[in-house]
Amino acid sequence: MQEIVIDNAAAKKYKRKVFIAFIIFIILIASAVTAWRWLYYHQKDGGLFGGVQTPLRQVLNTNERLFSFTFNPDKKVKEYPKEYAVRHVKVNGDAGMSTDFFDPAKWKLQVVKSNGDTLLVTLDEIKKLPKTDVVFNFKCIEGWSQITWWSGVRFVDFAEHYGLDKEAQMKYVGMKTPDEEYFVGIDMPSVMQPQTILCYEMNGKTLPMDQGYPLRLIIPVKYGVKHIKRIGTIFFDNNKPPDYWALRGYDYYTGH
Ligand SMILES: Nc1nc2c(c(=O)[nH]1)N[C@H]1C(S)=C(S)[C@@H](COP(=O)(O)O)O[C@H]1N2
Ligand SMILES: [Mo]
């Protein structure tokens, strides 16, 4: 028969270990709860960028600084041959797309200059500027993407044509629908990137009404949220212009 020897010293040591592990466990739980409560009860960041707790917004802002730092304006988003573009382009997002008070025949693009003057530009005038095609993988943050074909004038060409060089020195561009229901704010380097277009055609035809007729933004370096449909007004600012989805807690920068 084997004799069972109880090693008192070892048993004591073991008990001590269990006790310490238990204390550590309690401390971890307590700090997790405290951290969660701290975040939960933290004031939301209100105002323009309301919707997320301040510490979370600080993380988003840090991300933005890092990403804008790594943004290379010469690097292009991959483009595809036109045959790759889907025929049936998904329609997504209808804020600012109501036709109740919108008369396409009367539409003119408003461009607010830094001296306060407003340029009024017709669709025909925009169509006279050099036309650029962009076929790229359009990505929505909801998780879908499609290769789509768009045409219009490069924003950088538009800005040059209308002498917007002072405006181009500013940090951000703001755009809003004629009814001001949908609006975006975008960093200047992304707007000036050569694949960003003020777009009036999709698949070689006039832009459909629900896809932003008469003019929308196509900005391949950004997710879908920034591709505002039916632009009414464009303005420039050194502070972040209000942004529809950033107000609802999304990242302001949303580049990829
Ligand atoms: N005016 C307006 N533009 C908008 C939106 C919107 O709700 N209103 N939604 C955005 C989002 S989230 C996406 S993914 C794209 C979708 O463009 P599409 O309908 O041409 O596919 O438009 C963007 N532009
Ligand atoms: Mo989207």
Side-chain angles (χ1 to χ4, degrees), residues 2-253:
Q2 210 189 325
E3 207 184 327
I4 300 166
V5 183
I6 297 172
D7 179 343
N8 257 330
K12 253 192 182 166
K13 220 175 164 185
Y14 177 71
K15 268 193 187 159
R16 220 180 121 82
K17 266 194 183 161
V18 170
F19 180 70
I20 290 171
F22 181 70
I23 294 294
I24 291 172
F25 174 74
I26 293 293
I27 290 171
L28 285 179
I29 293 286
S31 40
V33 170
T34 310
W36 183 81
R37 284 171 61 102
W38 172 75
L39 196 55
Y40 190 80
Y41 292 111
H42 218 104
Q43 210 186 339
K44 290 201 176 179
D45 58 348
L48 277 187
F49 309 111
V52 296
Q53 283 80 4
T54 322
L56 293 182
R57 178 59 69 190
Q58 278 159 2
V59 172
L60 289 177
N61 285 344
T62 306
N63 279 348
E64 174 172 337
R65 271 195 295 277
L66 288 176
F67 280 110
S68 27
F69 187 68
T70 55
F71 181 79
N72 176 358
D74 299 327
K75 193 169 174 285
K76 286 198 172 182
V77 169
K78 184 178 161 68
E79 291 199 34
Y80 299 81
K82 281 173 192 158
E83 304 79 65
Y84 282 45
V86 297
R87 298 256 191 91
H88 301 286
V89 182
K90 219 173 140 96
V91 176
N92 198 48
D94 58 5
M97 301 300 289
S98 155
T99 43
D100 295 355
F101 302 100
F102 177 67
D103 183 355
K106 289 197 181 131
W107 177 91
K108 276 182 189 155
L109 176 66
Q110 303 194 21
V111 183
V112 185
K113 298 191 64 173
S114 50
N115 64 5
D117 290 352
T118 299
L119 290 174
L120 295 176
V121 187
T122 65
L123 187 57
D124 285 339
E125 287 166 333
I126 293 171
K127 284 184 174 171
K128 282 194 191 112
L129 301 176
K131 185 170 162 184
T132 301
D133 292 297
V134 187
V135 185
F136 78 109
N137 193 11
F138 187 112
K139 294 176 190 163
C140 169
I141 38 177
E142 288 167 56
W144 53 268
S145 73
Q146 285 186 320
I147 296 177
T148 43
W149 167 27
W150 312 89
S151 330
V153 57
R154 284 196 179 109
F155 195 92
V156 62
D157 292 346
F158 176 87
E160 193 187 22
H161 181 83
Y162 286 98
L164 303 172
D165 19 280
K166 252 198 194 157
E167 289 73 12
Q169 302 298 311
M170 301 199 145
K171 286 189 187 152
Y172 296 96
V173 178
M175 298 188 188
K176 50 192 179 186
T177 54
D179 62 5
E180 307 196 351
E181 277 266 327
Y182 198 79
F183 38 89
V184 294
I186 312 173
D187 55 287
M188 189 63 74
S190 297
V191 174
M192 290 300 173
Q193 198 266 6
Q195 290 167 300
T196 299
I197 59 172
L198 290 173
C199 161
Y200 49 80
E201 279 179 12
M202 184 185 84
N203 285 340
K205 297 192 191 90
T206 302
L207 209 52
M209 204 47 136
D210 51 8
Q211 261 150 337
Y213 182 88
L215 193 72
R216 76 175 297 171
L217 185 68
I218 288 294
I219 180 158
V221 294
K222 299 288 191 194
Y223 277 102
V225 285
K226 299 286 185 185
H227 299 232
I228 179 174
K229 301 190 275 193
R230 195 189 289 165
I231 307 170
T233 307
I234 300 179
F235 59 99
F236 304 87
D237 206 327
N238 279 324
N239 298 309
K240 285 178 180 168
D243 184 274
Y244 187 92
W245 282 110
L247 259 167
R248 287 157 179 79
Y250 280 82
D251 175 29
Y252 193 90
Y253 191 68

